[in-house]
Amino acid sequence: MRELLDLARELADKEVRPRAEAAERDGNFPREAFRLLGRAGLLGLPYPERWGGGGQPYEVYLQVVEELARVWLTVGLGVSVHTLTCLPLAAYGTDEQRERWLPDMLGGELLGAYCLSEPQSGSDAAALATTAVRVTGEAGGEGSYRIDGVKAWISHAGQADFYTVFARTSGRPDGRDRARGISCLHVPAGTSGVSAAPAEHKMGMRASVTAQMRFDGALVPADHLLGEEGRGFAIALTALDSGRLGIAACATGLAQAALDLAVGYARERHQFGKPIIEFEGVAFMLADMACAVEASRALYLSAARRKDAGQEFGPQAAMAKLLASDTAMRVTVDAVQVLGGYGYVEDFPAERYLREAKVLQIVEGTNQIQRLVIARSLAGR
């Protein structure tokens, strides 16, 4: 494990970090960075070696994600999104499907995007309206699914090589039973009728493309169905439990970067004849930041160990995502304060860290939804 984390840290500092500032300024998607990570064996760490993965426990994989997010959140979050996108195939696909797609997905040649949210269904994901209608094949063949609808807030939209799409194969998007009838499909990017809308203009993570995905009569073979028809919502929730741990690791990495920047500045910046870190007002702020970062790391690693042991970890994943993303927001705000005026200008990355932190309280379930998940677990639901 030590050697793997050392490799991740070396790649992060030498190969990923130098590209971050210019790419974020110009909005350039770092596709080559993901290929590099894939070829280094870091893009499929928690999946079995049989399919081209690293066979690593989640506890190790998440520390790699943290290292990547520490130098560039766009890449750390991108690895988390890709890992989330691969989970339905890895966990619910057939052996034939895994052999066909997983090696390239885990090796970096194919980058994925997770298509669950829609313009009208965010936190209430079961209200999705995108449809996948079965089209009968000729001579009794298995046929295809025709997908129609729009997905929203999709990371890697238009840049991904495949999309894990959740669509309604039966039922309606309203009513108490709206979670029923949702299925999960593997959709290659080159499928006719699949297109990306113009990218959203975001306050942070500008190198990470986020956009709507449009499915206009997109036909995929019936054998692209992942898991059983009508079981897609359960697959989505299972994937999100794991994905929230990835967000927690990303948030911890970003908070660590902000803390490192603030501490380094406070050691070098002199006022009234001494480094400002020697003033209690600054020193105590840094101490609180350090405690919060360590607590976030401890919580996501504890949840990961539960997952690796086969124990229930959903509520703990929600706790980790909640604490770590709230911590990232608070620590980046404080880092700007420690740097003073320099924290507000682009000469230092503090202002970028602050802009990036906000999205972590929103993605893969807002922090209000995390509190709902935790409260329901306490109530025994």
Side-chain angles (χ1 to χ4, degrees):
M1 181 183 81
R2 188 71 265 159
E3 292 80 4
L4 178 60
L5 293 178
D6 287 343
L7 170 64
R9 187 173 295 111
E10 181 179 3
L11 283 175
D13 286 326
K14 293 183 178 180
E15 301 292 339
V16 178
R17 186 196 295 277
R19 311 180 190 193
E21 183 178 350
E24 288 296 332
R25 182 186 63 241
D26 301 333
N28 292 330
F29 184 74
R31 184 64 181 88
E32 273 307 310
F34 294 110
R35 289 194 181 93
L36 172 67
L37 294 173
R39 290 163 186 166
L42 299 181
L43 208 57
L45 286 174
Y47 296 118
E49 295 177 278
R50 175 184 177 185
W51 314 115
Q56 294 294 318
Y58 237 71
E59 181 182 4
V60 173
Y61 152 70
L62 291 174
Q63 291 177 78
V64 171
V65 170
E66 181 187 335
E67 287 293 340
L68 295 170
R70 176 181 57 84
V71 300
W72 193 1
L73 182 61
T74 286
V75 172
L77 190 67
V79 170
S80 179
V81 167
H82 179 75
T83 303
L84 168 73
T85 305
C86 295
L87 191 146
L89 172 60
Y92 297 94
T94 65
D95 283 351
E96 188 277 330
Q97 289 174 324
R98 295 181 184 120
E99 289 172 358
R100 195 191 331 173
W101 296 315
L102 263 184
D104 284 340
M105 290 161 63
L106 302 182
E109 298 308 311
L110 300 179
L111 186 68
Y114 192 78
C115 295
L116 178 62
S117 294
E118 298 184 0
Q120 79 293 339
S121 66
S123 295
D124 186 10
L128 65 84
T130 295
T131 58
V133 177
R134 190 72 174 260
V135 179
T136 305
E138 296 181 2
E142 289 190 356
S144 305
Y145 286 96
R146 186 182 69 242
I147 306 173
D148 291 278
V150 177
K151 295 294 182 177
W153 311 113
I154 307 304
S155 298
H156 306 164
Q159 295 287 341
D161 301 292
F162 70 95
Y163 298 89
T164 298
V165 180
F166 295 88
R168 188 169 297 281
T169 47
S170 64
R172 297 175 51 81
D174 52 8
R176 294 183 59 184
D177 295 332
R178 60 188 180 277
R180 298 180 182 177
I182 295 173
S183 299
C184 182
L185 295 143
H186 174 81
V187 181
T191 302
S192 178
V194 176
S195 63
E200 307 287 356
H201 298 285
K202 308 191 300 292
M203 68 183 286
M205 290 188 63
R206 293 168 180 167
S208 178
V209 178
T210 304
Q212 292 187 348
M213 285 301 303
R214 298 165 177 164
F215 300 88
D216 185 12
L219 287 173
V220 295
D223 64 2
H224 282 47
L225 176 72
L226 302 178
E228 298 177 18
E229 188 172 288
R231 301 283 297 180
F233 192 65
I235 294 174
L237 294 184
T238 299
L240 284 174
D241 281 343
S242 299
R244 285 166 180 161
L245 291 179
I247 300 301
C250 284
T252 303
L254 180 63
Q256 184 68 60
L259 173 63
D260 291 343
L261 176 66
V263 169
Y265 180 86
R267 288 173 175 170
E268 298 296 327
R269 174 68 168 175
H270 283 68
Q271 292 288 276
F272 306 102
K274 59 183 180 181
I276 64 173
I277 200 170
E278 295 184 14
F279 293 96
E280 283 188 353
V282 174
F284 286 5
M285 183 184 297
L286 294 171
D288 288 342
M289 294 160 69
C291 287
V293 173
E294 286 293 337
S296 297
R297 183 176 294 116
L299 188 54
Y300 87 65
L301 289 175
S302 174
R305 286 190 286 269
R306 290 182 64 91
K307 174 177 169 57
D308 291 333
Q311 300 172 351
E312 181 188 12
F313 72 98
Q316 288 76 21
M319 293 175 190
K321 194 270 187 184
L322 170 63
L323 178 68
S325 58
D326 279 354
T327 292
M329 192 73 240
R330 184 170 65 256
V331 168
T332 54
V333 167
D334 287 346
V336 170
Q337 188 69 22
V338 170
L339 270 68
Y342 293 106
Y344 200 69
V345 296
E346 294 182 1
D347 304 72
F348 290 84
E351 59 85 28
R352 173 164 65 86
Y353 295 159
L354 173 56
R355 289 186 288 104
E356 291 175 340
K358 184 59 200 174
V359 76
L360 299 172
Q361 295 178 306
I362 299 171
V363 294
E364 293 191 28
T366 66
N367 282 6
Q368 287 70 33
I369 289 296
Q370 306 311 316
R371 289 178 170 88
L372 183 63
V373 170
I374 296 164
R376 285 180 172 175
S377 73
L378 294 174
R381 293 169 59 188

